[in-house]
């Protein structure tokens, strides 16, 4: 079955990024001039997704406004002859169907995904964390597209993982699994271990913020009781799923920027700004002068 729909959870409180997130969704933080969530939706569209459900909550109206038309802004730009900017402010909202649903209480990622049940109508679907940018090496396919290809070959739920230095494993959900069918990058998942101690970690393969699920995940979320912090943890639901059905982990080369983390956000901003022709050369010059001092 082809995956046509995706859910993007973006209802979290963003407490690691206060005070910026007091009145602004962290998913709308800019990387130079484009909000993080726009990168995420572009990845979905470039991977062939036709329909996106964004899970929002209180104080997240900026998300809906960003992907909507803005007639005042557009007529202002028209008057100023800035036609290229009109195309830019309209573009992404025109390229995909975007729907919204509100999570009334921030009960965790599992709960946010559960809200997508009726929208998905029994079809397999993708999940992209709204605060995570995936950056594949030059020339490679978008992250979600790689995952969708793994889904097409396995017809099973699949989660993206990336290798992290062993001393970092205790910050992540980590995979316990074994390669199957001679592909060293596709592992059959035994279980996911949330933030293991270095000595107890089954691997250094950390969950990367992109998933494809069959509809069975919803029953598993329903069977998941509240875990750490009173939240319904997606990893707990995935462990239930792995007991009932095959679940795979795709180890990819792509880098992951979790922009809810301040250092990761700063790294992502700098890296993308350095890559761009309009900002890169001047910024590189500034940075080398600054670092030489
Ligand atoms: P995080 O756990 O990184 O987000 O969730 P958070 O809870 O906002 O972060 P902190 O720890 O308070 O800083 C990953 C993604 O899942 C969404 C978030 O918006 C983020 O995009 N999320 C998380 C929800 O939609 N609902 C939730 O209940 C929790």
């Amino acid at each position: 079955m082809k995956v046509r729909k995706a859910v993007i959870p973006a209802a979290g409180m963003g407490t690691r990024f206060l005070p910026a997130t007091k009145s602004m969704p962290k998913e709308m933080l800019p990387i130079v001039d484009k909000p993080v969530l726009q990168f995420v939706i572009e990845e979905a569209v470039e991977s062939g997704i036709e329909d996106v459900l964004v899970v929002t909550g209180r104080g997240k109206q900026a998300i809906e406004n960003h992907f909507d038309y803005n007639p005042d802004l557009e007529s202002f730009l028209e008057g100023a002859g800035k036609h290229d900017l009109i195309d830019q402010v309209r573009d992404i909202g025109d390229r995909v169907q975007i729907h919204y649903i509100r999570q009334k209480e921030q009960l965790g990622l599992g709960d946010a995904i559960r809200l997508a049940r009726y929208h998905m109508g029994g079809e397999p679907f993708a999940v992209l964390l709204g605060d995570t940018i995936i950056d594949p090496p030059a020339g490679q396919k978008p992250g979600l597209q790689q995952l969708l290809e793994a889904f097409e070959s396995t017809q099973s739920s699949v989660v993206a993982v990336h290798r992290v230095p062993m001393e970092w494993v205790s910050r992540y959900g980590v995979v316990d699994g074994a390669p199957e069918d001679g592909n060293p990058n596709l592992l059959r998942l035994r279980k996911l271990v949330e933030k293991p101690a270095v000595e107890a970690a089954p691997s250094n393969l950390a969950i990367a913020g992109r998933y494809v699920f069959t509809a069975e995940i919803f029953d598993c979320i329903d069977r998941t009781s509240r875990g750490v912090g009173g939240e319904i943890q997606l990893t707990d639901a995935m462990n239930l799923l792995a007991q009932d059905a095959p679940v795979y982990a795709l180890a990819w080369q792509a880098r992951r920027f979790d922009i809810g983390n301040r250092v990761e956000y700063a790294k992502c901003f700098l890296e993308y700004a350095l890559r761009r022709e309009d900002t890169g050369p001047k910024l590189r010059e500034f940075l080398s002068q600054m670092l030489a001092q």
Side-chain angles (χ1 to χ4, degrees), residues 257-268:
F257 292 107
D258 166 11
I259 60 88
N261 169 308
R262 281 170 286 190
V263 176
E264 288 284 301
Y265 174 70
K267 282 188 194 167
C268 186

Side-chain angles (χ1 to χ4, degrees), residues 8 15 24 40-41 59 76 85 92 96 103 107-108 113 141 154 165 184-185 191 194 211 218 221 246 251 264 273 284:
I8 302 185
T15 53
M24 184 178 66
V40 176
I41 294 186
F76 174 81
L85 285 178
I92 186 69
V96 64
Q103 187 184 27
L107 294 178
I113 291 169
K141 294 173 184 163
T154 60
N185 295 323
K191 67 174 183 336
E194 197 54 60
Y211 315 76
F218 293 118
I221 296 174
E264 288 284 301
R284 187 164 282 111

Side-chain angles (χ1 to χ4, degrees), residues 69-83 86 89-90:
Y69 289 165
N70 182 336
D72 291 344
L73 175 63
E74 287 171 26
S75 57
F76 174 81
L77 293 172
E78 185 79 52
K82 299 186 172 178
H83 302 285
I86 299 178
V89 297
R90 272 189 170 223

